[in-house]
Amino acid sequence: AQTVTQSQPEMSVQEAETVTLSCTYDTSENNYYLFWYKQPPSRQMILVIRQEAYKQQNATENRFSVNFQKAAKSFSLKISDSQLGDTAMYFCAFMNFIREDKIIFGKGTRLHILP
Amino acid sequence: EAQVTQNPRYLITVTGKKLTVTCSQNMNHEYMSWYRQDPGLGLRQIYYSMNVEVTDKGDVPEGYKVSRKEKRNFPLILESPSPNQTSLYFCASSLDRYTGELFFGEGSRLTVL
């Protein structure tokens, strides 16, 4: 069974610093997507970034980028120039898009951006 | 505006009193799903639906029912709520099962006394 592990339950960084959130996953499949979702204090979850496993190039969305290491089954999220609005719970998620009908979420990392 | 709408946002009820949490999306999405979020456990899938009249169990379906009679609606039914169903519930939708990008509702916080 696929699993997603986020080893950092909580982190704090100063505004404008760079922070990296860790995620590892376990699967024997080759066809999958990986995601980072953000849940701000307002609760509504939004997609931050998505990575297709067959792409070697790391996905980037403005200040958010990933370090996708397929062999190591690692998928970390880097937030550059962090802002107060980045304060949120971040969930790493995995989806096998061939066989599965669900997205598996990690337990989340609560990130605090300090002024 | 594209959105997933859940109601109610907050509810306090008592053990055994049937309740329904509604979920509606206006994006013509095929795929819809319910999750519950509990501290330390992340999000766990309750039920999902790949299209009208097609539903299936997720990881924690016990005590819940769903139906998908129309493409836009996917209500979650708790026939006889119990305190262990106290949780934050999210409805989500996706264009189809292959894209993986979920659009979430704002969540419904349910307390069962």
Side-chain angles (χ1 to χ4, degrees):
Chain A
Q2 288 90 355
T3 58
V4 177
T5 302
Q6 294 179 248
S7 59
Q8 305 149 312
E10 197 158 1
M11 299 178 71
S12 297
V13 296
Q14 294 294 137
E15 190 177 9
E17 289 184 350
T18 294
V19 60
T20 299
L21 280 60
S22 301
C23 173
T24 58
Y25 59 95
D26 187 24
T27 184
S28 58
E29 304 292 337
N30 280 316
N31 301 305
Y32 54 90
Y33 296 135
L34 294 161
F35 309 88
W36 280 98
Y37 279 88
K38 171 185 177 181
Q39 185 182 37
S42 65
R43 290 191 337 205
Q44 189 159 19
M45 200 96 61
I46 55 173
L47 179 67
V48 175
I49 202 163
R50 178 176 111 163
Q51 175 80 43
E52 289 87 349
Y54 59 84
K55 289 186 178 179
Q56 291 187 334
Q57 187 173 6
N58 289 326
T60 299
E61 288 287 343
N62 301 314
R63 296 182 297 106
F64 298 86
S65 61
V66 298
N67 183 2
F68 174 46
Q69 303 287 331
K70 191 172 183 179
K73 297 179 183 174
S74 170
F75 183 62
S76 59
L77 175 70
K78 185 172 84 170
I79 306 174
S80 302
D81 185 27
S82 58
Q83 301 174 357
L84 296 178
D86 296 331
T87 292
M89 179 78 90
Y90 287 83
F91 291 96
C92 179
F94 168 98
M95 176 184 174
N96 177 332
F97 63 84
I98 297 296
R99 299 200 308 177
E100 297 288 336
D101 298 304
K102 62 183 178 182
I103 296 176
I104 300 168
F105 288 86
K107 294 183 179 180
T109 296
R110 188 173 298 281
L111 177 63
H112 303 275
I113 307 299
L114 306 172
Chain B
E1 180 188 354
Q3 58 186 2
V4 178
T5 304
Q6 296 178 227
N7 280 296
R9 297 283 312 280
Y10 300 90
L11 179 64
I12 301 174
T13 189
V14 295
T15 299
K17 187 175 181 181
K18 179 179 178 179
L19 68 92
T20 299
V21 186
T22 63
C23 174
S24 181
Q25 49 91 7
N26 62 0
M27 296 169 279
N28 201 37
H29 283 172
E30 290 187 352
Y31 183 92
M32 296 186 75
S33 183
W34 276 102
Y35 295 86
R36 61 178 288 174
Q37 183 180 6
D38 301 289
L41 297 178
L43 281 90
R44 295 179 292 169
Q45 190 180 47
I46 303 170
Y47 269 95
Y48 64 92
S49 169
M50 288 194 286
N51 214 324
V52 176
E53 301 293 359
V54 180
T55 63
D56 211 342
K57 296 177 180 179
D59 296 316
V60 288
E62 294 78 18
Y64 305 95
K65 286 176 58 177
V66 292
S67 68
R68 187 93 182 271
K69 293 185 172 58
E70 305 165 284
K71 198 170 188 179
R72 62 184 292 126
N73 296 324
F74 190 46
L76 179 70
I77 303 158
L78 285 72
E79 292 271 3
S80 182
S82 61
N84 65 10
Q85 293 179 298
T86 292
S87 188
L88 179 58
Y89 290 87
F90 287 96
C91 180
S93 72
S94 179
L95 183 63
D96 55 48
R97 59 166 283 209
Y98 300 107
T99 62
E101 180 178 352
L102 290 171
F103 292 81
F104 283 84
E106 293 181 292
S108 298
R109 183 166 295 282
L110 170 65
T111 301
V112 183
L113 302 175

